[in-house]
Amino acid sequence: MLLKWHTRLSGFMGITLLVSPAFADVASIGRDGIDSSSLMLSGAGIGIGMVDAGRPGKVGVDDAMHSDMTIDPEEVYVGTAMPVQNQGVDDHGQIVAGVMIGTDLAGEGVATEANLYASALAPGNFQQQSAIALQHIANRQGGAIAAINISYGLTLGSDMTDGSSLLTQYIDWSSRVHDTLYVQSADEMTPTIPSSPIPKDDYNGVTVGASLKIGDVFRKVADFNFYGGDADGARTSVDILAPGEDIFSLNAAGNLVSADGTSVAAPHVTGTVALLQEYAEARIIDTGGPLWKPAPNANARRHEVMKAVLMNSADKLEDTGDGMRLGMSRTVLKKDGSNWLTTDAYTERGIPLDLEMGAGHLNARRALQQFSSGEIDATVPAGTVVPQIGWDYANTGDTGSFVNEYVFEDPLPAGSFVSITLAWDRIVNLDMDAGTTGEYDVNDTFESVGFNDLDIYLLPQGSTTIDDAVWSSISADSNLEHLFFQIQTTDMYEFWAYEFDSPIQLGTDYAIAWWAFNGPTGTAGTGDYNGDTIVDSEDYDLWRASFGSTTNLAADGNGNQVIDAADYVVWRDTLGATLGAGTAAVPEPSSVMLLAFACAFAVLQGQLRSR
């Protein structure tokens, strides 16, 4: 069995490492990438982790040739042990860490102030040592590790891609026991890099494929993504895409490098989890209540919620500003140039995700918008009226017959899309627990109990049977359902989380996220706040009327979930532009026009300060 990292290096514990590194920079976290840099979030205080072939350097542990203040994790290990100076430091570990926490201007990370706990693998059986190191990281920061990054994989050997390998079972066990989201880079293959599909066949984590740029926008599935080792049966391995081409960062020696690979994909997602969790923590502490419940019921922290939110908010089809495509910022393309509308996932109810793009492309700005509603509790069994965008964390109960009804508060217009994602865990238990009780030890084994069969149904409001459904996601092979459907008739609608058949275990926790038409969105970053393709005084009027709002976000030009002065700057900088297939700038507005608006802005600020 070959242990594969995606970096073209050689020599680690006698193993050949076949890797093509890729990491975050200002392009991949900007508007044309995952759009996280505009959110005014840094992941401050949030614990995230990584296990890799090697580890990043740490100032104070390693010498100046093997550490850098711009990529400085909270703690570092080799396996579970504190390392001696420079032990286990390598380029790939430094690069992966840089995606998440790097602060160098040429290669800034997604979550620069997150607490990163990193471990290099200790010698021994790869799967066993991976599980031991991952468990050690999951227990850092009092066990409050939001996500753990895995940017390596194992060739198939004697294992199958059916979730039965020790490492894959460990991930599904630990995600539930430690309540952490495992994020791994998707499989790839080139003439020099073999396929390594383990543990990308897990059920409870998120596997991330790489995107490349068309023009300046990350929006197409990279050619090196490989699907020959995809999960067995109808289930697919890839859950979501993230940037993976021509990304700049610093290696262990402090040199600026550029490369491609799926190693970039996972750290972008891991870092985004830290941003969302920072947002949640502030609200759990400051507001609490039903939307942001405190411990022990802080459902905003649940790994199932993170998975559902990230996947449901992913980009598929670019919105023109009218909101009919849910404010998505790009049309994502498969290898052959086709888009979501040609996929089996769009046309077949039993296939929730596309083989190549999963649910679409990571968009941190939209993920925050999806998440920012706070939890919307649905009441079983009566239908609960819910906003057009929201999420819920619930349990199927112990009756063995379950349906939870969510009723949209506003009608859905014909031609608009609706997106709904339902995620729950495969249940894996320790089978032979011969060492420390309740923890994985070398030579312990796992037993997969399986997962219950939950489905999503979209129905006209007031329906009493699933036979009335206009669309559904009803896969029998996966513990995830994803529905993306274009409404045919303007009407009031509801959706059901529904348990099909007798459960294998009562009381399944699940997360569900939804997004339906919520009015015109404008075009983020262009100043076209009313969606009429022209940046003019009407957009300014909309911005002024909603100044200070955190709910009416049509004029949220920088995507930070509040209408503020920064959105005026976005409008000012694009005033006079006309938007078509691309943004075509027309002659700049006159200084007289800008002066008039600047004066009005100054008056508005004065009025707000005096209230």
Side-chain angles (χ1 to χ4, degrees):
M1 177 179 291
L2 179 68
L3 184 62
K4 187 196 80 173
W5 288 262
H6 303 159
T7 315
R8 295 188 183 93
L9 303 171
S10 63
F12 178 84
M13 299 185 294
I15 307 163
T16 300
L17 308 186
L18 303 170
V19 193
S20 56
F23 5 64
D25 67 1
V26 291
S28 69
I29 65 174
R31 188 173 294 123
D32 295 332
I34 68 170
D35 204 2
S36 64
S37 59
S38 65
L39 301 182
M40 307 298 288
L41 295 169
S42 64
I46 302 302
I48 56 176
M50 62 173 284
V51 171
D52 215 294
R55 62 172 178 86
K58 177 164 179 58
V59 175
V61 174
D62 307 303
D63 64 29
M65 292 296 295
H66 295 82
S67 62
D68 193 313
M69 284 296 297
T70 65
I71 304 175
D72 194 33
E74 189 77 6
E75 295 176 6
V76 292
Y77 303 90
V78 173
T80 63
M82 296 293 293
V84 299
Q85 188 178 70
N86 304 334
Q87 180 189 11
V89 177
D90 75 356
D91 279 347
H92 193 255
Q94 186 81 347
I95 286 162
V96 170
V99 180
M100 294 180 275
I101 62 168
T103 58
D104 186 271
L105 292 179
E108 186 159 346
V110 178
T112 55
E113 295 185 63
N115 297 335
L116 177 64
Y117 299 84
S119 179
L121 288 182
N125 178 282
F126 296 140
Q127 296 203 41
Q128 290 178 349
Q129 290 305 317
S130 291
I132 291 292
L134 288 165
Q135 180 176 249
H136 183 69
I137 295 300
N139 285 320
R140 297 309 92 198
Q141 198 160 307
I145 300 298
I148 299 177
N149 192 85
I150 304 173
S151 281
Y152 64 90
L154 303 173
T155 54
L156 201 53
S158 61
D159 286 307
M160 300 179 64
T161 56
D162 60 358
S164 62
S165 71
L166 183 144
L167 181 54
T168 302
Q169 289 188 87
Y170 164 81
I171 288 173
D172 286 344
W173 170 79
S174 176
S175 62
R176 185 170 56 89
V177 170
H178 297 108
D179 196 14
T180 189
L181 184 66
Y182 281 89
V183 183
Q184 52 269 345
S185 57
D187 196 14
E188 64 177 86
M189 188 168 73
T190 71
T192 58
I193 299 177
S195 168
S196 60
I198 305 295
K200 295 90 164 61
D201 61 332
D202 73 307
Y203 285 78
N204 299 347
V206 173
T207 299
V208 192
S211 66
L212 52 79
K213 285 180 276 191
I214 300 295
D216 294 326
V217 180
F218 287 96
R219 56 189 292 252
K220 187 176 182 182
V221 175
D223 293 338
F224 49 76
N225 288 280
F226 181 67
Y227 310 101
D230 194 60
D232 282 1
R235 186 168 66 97
T236 55
S237 291
V238 173
D239 295 304
I240 199 168
L241 297 175
E245 179 201 27
D246 194 23
I247 313 296
F248 292 91
S249 187
L250 302 179
N251 63 12
N255 299 319
L256 186 66
V257 291
S258 170
D260 311 327
T262 61
S263 291
V264 66
H268 278 91
V269 173
T270 307
T272 299
V273 172
L275 302 184
L276 297 179
Q277 286 301 298
E278 178 194 3
Y279 181 89
E281 285 303 300
R283 280 142 191 85
I284 290 170
I285 293 169
D286 292 343
T287 62
L291 298 181
W292 302 100
K293 298 172 184 174
N297 299 308
N299 292 336
R301 297 173 181 161
R302 307 292 185 184
H303 66 279
E304 303 100 320
V305 170
M306 287 293 92
K307 182 174 182 176
V309 163
L310 290 167
M311 295 180 65
N312 200 62
S313 59
D315 284 331
K316 294 181 180 68
L317 303 169
E318 184 176 4
D319 193 285
T320 61
D322 59 8
M324 302 292 270
R325 293 182 172 187
L326 312 182
M328 296 182 179
S329 66
R330 79 202 84 196
T331 295
V332 185
L333 303 177
K334 299 179 65 172
K335 287 184 180 183
D336 64 4
S338 61
N339 65 33
W340 186 268
L341 299 180
T342 68
T343 66
D344 290 341
Y346 182 64
T347 59
E348 300 291 333
R349 299 181 188 226
I351 302 177
L353 302 177
D354 178 62
L355 176 69
E356 295 186 15
M357 67 175 76
H361 198 285
L362 174 65
N363 186 321
R365 175 182 56 80
R366 294 189 76 246
L368 181 59
Q369 187 175 351
Q370 174 80 80
F371 192 47
S372 62
S373 67
E375 182 179 8
I376 310 299
D377 276 323
T379 303
V380 180
T384 300
V385 176
V386 298
Q388 305 299 90
I389 304 173
W391 60 270
D392 183 26
Y393 184 79
N395 186 279
T396 60
D398 58 4
T399 64
S401 177
F402 173 81
V403 60
N404 213 355
E405 302 175 12
Y406 302 78
V407 181
F408 285 118
E409 64 183 0
D410 294 323
L412 306 186
S416 69
F417 285 84
V418 59
S419 179
I420 309 170
T421 303
L422 177 65
W424 67 103
D425 282 344
R426 173 172 76 141
I427 303 166
V428 176
N429 296 323
L430 277 171
D431 181 26
M432 185 178 72
D433 191 5
T436 307
T437 302
E439 291 188 13
Y440 173 76
D441 299 286
V442 171
N443 297 323
D444 282 353
T445 58
F446 296 99
E447 178 187 22
S448 174
V449 177
F451 53 88
N452 293 346
D453 187 3
L454 304 185
D455 296 321
I456 302 170
Y457 289 89
L458 178 67
L459 315 96
Q461 185 175 325
S463 295
T464 58
T465 171
I466 58 174
D467 293 337
D468 295 337
V470 297
W471 200 247
S472 56
S473 180
I474 53 173
S475 170
D477 301 299
S478 174
N479 61 324
L480 181 130
E481 299 291 355
H482 179 66
L483 176 154
F484 185 72
F485 178 72
Q486 188 171 32
I487 299 298
Q488 303 300 306
T489 303
T490 299
D491 204 346
M492 298 295 296
Y493 290 90
E494 62 185 68
F495 58 96
W496 295 1
Y498 183 90
E499 189 167 62
F500 181 81
D501 211 350
S502 298
I504 60 169
Q505 182 169 309
L506 296 175
T508 295
D509 293 324
Y510 73 86
I512 190 166
W514 61 90
W515 194 315
F517 177 78
N518 196 37
T521 62
T523 306
T526 67
D528 177 27
Y529 297 146
N530 66 354
D532 66 356
T533 74
I534 301 171
V535 183
D536 56 16
S537 61
E538 292 181 4
D539 302 301
Y540 170 84
D541 291 340
L542 181 59
W543 167 81
R544 180 176 177 176
S546 57
F547 191 90
S549 177
T550 58
T551 56
N552 180 9
L553 299 176
D556 184 17
N558 69 344
N560 69 345
Q561 307 300 297
V562 61
I563 309 303
D564 55 17
D567 305 311
Y568 166 81
V569 174
V570 172
W571 170 84
R572 180 199 66 193
D573 290 347
T574 55
L575 178 61
T578 300
L579 312 182
T583 301
V586 298
E588 293 185 3
S590 69
S591 58
V592 173
M593 183 184 297
L594 280 176
L595 178 60
F597 283 114
C599 291
F601 180 35
V603 170
L604 175 61
Q605 285 186 309
Q607 291 172 341
L608 289 169
R609 281 195 295 268
S610 66
R611 291 176 183 172

